[in-house]
């Protein structure tokens, strides 16, 4: 193959693959965006008691939420070691389950990538529940999952569970889910 043709082919391939995270789709189908867990746990504080989520787009929002999540904790802070987030390239999605009277409940990332389809990112998260009759700790839990997600051409975040048809939509604009600092 001629060097010029090889160069043009490589540039075209790079544009097709690299541009995927910043567009809704390619001719080959939906785009994939990287997703990684940055924190999870059995209890989240400072949020609604019902299932929910929030899309965080800057460090100030993340600091406010993590301050409320750890308020009153006497155990070591699991959020103290959060990685640095480059909010120009990615955002943070925090989702939580409703309150439960026992342990055994959790959220886990079901895949390392999320798909963008029609301006909606589909984030695969599995809900874990204790099996009937399992020995579980007797404490109030409200599991959460904090994810780092690459930015792309999407304006809606939909949480999908591969084992359950139920879905949850998280707005990409803060709509009252973030706690507010009071002086």
């Amino acid at each position: 193959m001629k060097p010029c043709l090889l160069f043009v082919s490589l540039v075209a391939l790079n544009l097709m693959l690299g541009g995927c995270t910043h567009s809704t789709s390619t001719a080959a189908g939906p785009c994939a965006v990287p997703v990684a867990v940055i924190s999870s746990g059995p209890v989240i504080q400072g949020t609604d008691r019902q299932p929910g989520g929030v899309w965080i787009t800057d460090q100030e929002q993340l600091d406010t939420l993590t301050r409320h999540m750890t308020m009153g904790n006497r155990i070591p802070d699991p959020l103290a070691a959060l990685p640095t987030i480059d909010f120009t390239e990615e955002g943070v999605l925090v989702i939580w389950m409703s309150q439960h009277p026992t342990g055994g409940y959790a959220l886990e990332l079901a895949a390392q990538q999320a798909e963008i389809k029609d301006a909606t990112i589909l984030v695969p998260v599995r809900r874990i529940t204790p099996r009937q009759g399992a020995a579980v700790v007797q404490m109030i839990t409200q599991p959460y999952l904090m994810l780092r997600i690459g930015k792309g051409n999407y304006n809606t975040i939909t949480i999908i569970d591969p084992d359950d048809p139920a879905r949850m939509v998280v707005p990409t604009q803060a709509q009252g889910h973030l706690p507010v600092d009071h002086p």
Side-chain angles (χ1 to χ4, degrees):
M1 184 178 272
K2 293 184 178 182
C4 183
L5 183 58
L6 178 62
F7 176 75
V8 170
S9 298
L10 289 175
V11 168
L13 180 62
N14 187 36
L15 288 174
M16 286 188 300
L17 294 177
C20 183
T21 60
H22 299 289
S23 67
T24 56
S25 64
T26 65
C31 291
V33 176
V35 180
V37 175
I38 56 175
S39 182
S40 65
V43 179
I44 186 171
Q45 297 179 41
T47 61
D48 297 332
R49 291 187 173 147
Q50 297 303 311
V54 64
W55 177 240
I56 297 175
T57 58
D58 64 45
Q59 190 64 46
E60 184 179 343
Q61 290 176 332
L62 182 60
D63 292 344
T64 299
L65 183 66
T66 57
R67 229 181 352 267
H68 284 273
M69 286 173 63
T70 58
M71 196 176 296
N73 282 357
R74 294 185 181 199
I75 57 175
D77 181 1
L79 301 174
L82 285 180
T84 301
I85 306 296
D86 178 1
F87 285 102
T88 62
E89 296 292 323
E90 54 198 4
V92 173
L93 176 65
V94 181
I95 57 173
W96 55 88
M97 295 175 87
S98 58
Q99 275 192 354
H100 298 283
T102 68
Y105 295 88
L107 293 169
E108 73 177 10
L109 184 61
Q112 300 301 309
Q113 294 187 334
E115 289 185 8
I116 298 175
K117 291 183 182 177
D118 301 323
T120 297
I121 188 166
L122 304 171
V123 182
V125 173
R126 186 168 280 116
R127 287 181 301 259
I128 308 297
T129 58
R131 59 179 204 283
Q132 188 72 25
V136 292
V137 65
Q138 298 298 304
M139 67 178 270
I140 295 175
T141 60
Q142 186 175 14
Y144 76 93
L145 187 60
M146 188 178 290
L147 304 171
R148 165 189 275 182
I149 301 177
K151 287 192 176 175
N153 191 11
Y154 53 88
N155 54 29
T156 303
I157 301 169
T158 300
I159 310 304
I160 58 171
D161 185 335
D163 303 328
D164 187 340
R167 294 173 179 237
M168 180 174 72
V169 175
V170 177
T172 56
Q173 310 298 321
Q175 299 193 358
H177 288 290
L178 276 175
V180 177
D181 278 332
H182 296 288

